[in-house]
Amino acid sequence: MILIKNIKKLVQIEEQPVSWRAGKEMQELHTLDEAYLIIKDDKIDDFGLMTALPMTEDTFAEVIDASGRMVFPSFVDSHTHLVYPASREIEYVDKIKGLSYEEIAKRGGGILNSARLTATRSEEQLYRSAMQRLQEIIRLGTGAVEIKSGYGLTPESELKMLRVIQRLKQDSPLTIKATFLGAHAIPPSYKGRQEEYVDLIIEEMLPVVAAERLADYMDVFCDQGFFTVESTDRLLNAAMKYGLRPKIHANELAKSGGIQVGVKYNALSVDHLEYTGEEEMRVLKDSETMPTVLPGAAFFLGMPYAPARQMIDYGLPLAMASDFNPGSSPSGNMQLILSMASILYRLTPEEAINATTLNTAYAMGVSDRLGSIARGKIANLFITTPMPTVEYMPYYYGHNKVETVILNGELVSL
Ligand code: NIG
Ligand code: FE
């Protein structure tokens, strides 16, 4: 057993765990001052006030003194593309010069650029570079991450990516979920033949993905210039038959109908949402779909920001994830996402913490196990550097405020 003692503030505690927080409830952030936390095996066993610590210190194999420091549940990053073959900083310069995301995609850049390179990389190469990225996000406080395929776009390369993710699941202490994103872009060989590429995904990729249990979820980039609502409908319908629940890219480039088709198929989340209006919010209300905003992508691409504030004020839950990928968001730093949530989207620190822990845990299907400090949940958490207040976490942006990381109840050497 591990005891963390003298915790200045234990953040995001739950006596009765909930699966998400929506609307005004996103203001709720339960904390405990001068607290202790007990970890047994890989689980959170107990927590409480220091003055009520039930056991003597010599009962514990390890005692960590967190004086002046806070304990947070690890961030949950519910949307990334962190298995990729190479960085794409040249395109980024094109962007600075004013080319739009769609223009870059049309010139064979963007996703297609990554797909060309993925075909040339071995499983081992993709695995090693992705593992390094996982180490980096562990140091930044992430404890669970969803990873998509989608830089393959052929049966062979898509399966290769998913096998890499499967190995990462086995080898990394992070909790990982895999999402099949064969429908990320239309490969050049299928140009003008979107429906035929959709057939290829449905007939040749999905059956193998399902048979080998290579994915937990199904994604489609449903947007202007990418996959139509009709194609998305066919893809999600096929995925449903294999028991793959959708988590889709929607409304990043236009009011594409992506949110509606996602909700129709009971998507776990719809992500991006820059183009969200009253009608989309109405569809999301009373659904079981988590609206997920990706501040890194909008920031990096200089695109309009999703109306996150309005969505919360409308009563919706909201999650915020990194979208870590080489094209539109080359960072998996969830501390930065937390700061962006407050600075760019006007979420209060409490709302921003809920958006990056509990609500992202729902958005990747792990809120029963992660996303808060609750008895019985997996002990994925971090101890901060000395901090004056909780508000300091988003405020002191650009600095790593994570000092000690515990994953599955074990101290991780950073
Ligand atoms: O989530 N929007 C679609 N896909 C990724 C971008 C991937 C890329 O440019 O490589 C995203 O932003
Ligand atoms: Fe994405």
Side-chain angles (χ1 to χ4, degrees), residues 171-245:
D171 299 348
S172 167
L174 290 165
T175 297
I176 296 175
K177 292 283 182 188
T179 301
F180 172 49
L181 178 55
H184 197 190
I186 295 128
S189 53
Y190 281 82
K191 197 162 190 255
R193 300 187 293 136
Q194 172 164 155
E195 289 312 308
E196 287 174 49
Y197 182 58
V198 170
D199 289 339
L200 180 78
I201 296 173
I202 294 174
E203 286 159 21
E204 291 188 33
M205 302 193 207
L206 258 177
V208 187
V209 171
E212 295 187 23
R213 297 177 162 275
L214 288 171
D216 301 293
Y217 305 115
M218 172 79 174
D219 197 347
V220 177
F221 188 5
C222 179
D223 226 320
Q224 184 177 287
F226 289 83
F227 290 85
T228 61
V229 169
E230 293 70 34
S231 297
T232 306
D233 198 295
R234 282 179 64 208
L235 286 157
L236 299 187
N237 194 44
M240 195 176 64
K241 294 186 181 137
Y242 292 108
L244 290 178
R245 203 169 161 189

Side-chain angles (χ1 to χ4, degrees), residues 14 54 89 125 154 208 210 256 284 301 303 306 311 365 373 402:
E14 288 191 296
E89 60 277 16
Q125 284 170 320
T154 61
V208 187
S256 56
L284 284 163
L301 297 175
M303 306 270 276
M311 288 192 251
I373 303 288
V402 171

Side-chain angles (χ1 to χ4, degrees), residues 374-388:
R375 292 175 189 88
K377 280 198 177 185
I378 300 176
N380 280 13
L381 46 94
F382 61 81
I383 306 174
T384 66
T385 53
M387 292 216 313

Side-chain angles (χ1 to χ4, degrees), residues 105-268:
K106 282 210 183 84
R107 281 161 44 134
I111 297 163
L112 299 182
N113 182 351
S114 288
R116 245 191 329 269
L117 287 173
T118 300
T120 71
R121 297 288 195 272
S122 68
E123 200 180 297
E124 188 59 31
Q125 284 170 320
L126 290 170
Y127 170 83
R128 262 189 275 135
S129 60
M131 195 52 122
Q132 273 173 10
R133 292 177 201 122
L134 292 184
Q135 297 303 339
E136 188 186 346
I137 64 173
I138 287 173
R139 284 196 290 271
L140 292 165
T142 294
V145 63
E146 180 258 16
I147 312 175
K148 300 170 193 296
S149 68
Y151 291 129
L153 311 181
T154 61
E156 196 192 348
S157 291
E158 280 298 312
L159 294 171
K160 178 165 68 180
M161 288 191 72
L162 290 170
R163 292 197 179 103
V164 169
I165 302 171
Q166 196 175 42
R167 279 180 63 193
L168 295 170
K169 272 188 184 181
Q170 281 155 10
D171 299 348
S172 167
L174 290 165
T175 297
I176 296 175
K177 292 283 182 188
T179 301
F180 172 49
L181 178 55
H184 197 190
I186 295 128
S189 53
Y190 281 82
K191 197 162 190 255
R193 300 187 293 136
Q194 172 164 155
E195 289 312 308
E196 287 174 49
Y197 182 58
V198 170
D199 289 339
L200 180 78
I201 296 173
I202 294 174
E203 286 159 21
E204 291 188 33
M205 302 193 207
L206 258 177
V208 187
V209 171
E212 295 187 23
R213 297 177 162 275
L214 288 171
D216 301 293
Y217 305 115
M218 172 79 174
D219 197 347
V220 177
F221 188 5
C222 179
D223 226 320
Q224 184 177 287
F226 289 83
F227 290 85
T228 61
V229 169
E230 293 70 34
S231 297
T232 306
D233 198 295
R234 282 179 64 208
L235 286 157
L236 299 187
N237 194 44
M240 195 176 64
K241 294 186 181 137
Y242 292 108
L244 290 178
R245 203 169 161 189
K247 268 177 74 62
I248 69 169
H249 283 74
N251 297 46
E252 177 184 9
L253 308 169
K255 282 194 179 167
S256 56
I259 293 177
Q260 287 87 336
V261 70
V263 170
K264 176 180 169 191
Y265 284 95
N266 194 30
L268 192 51

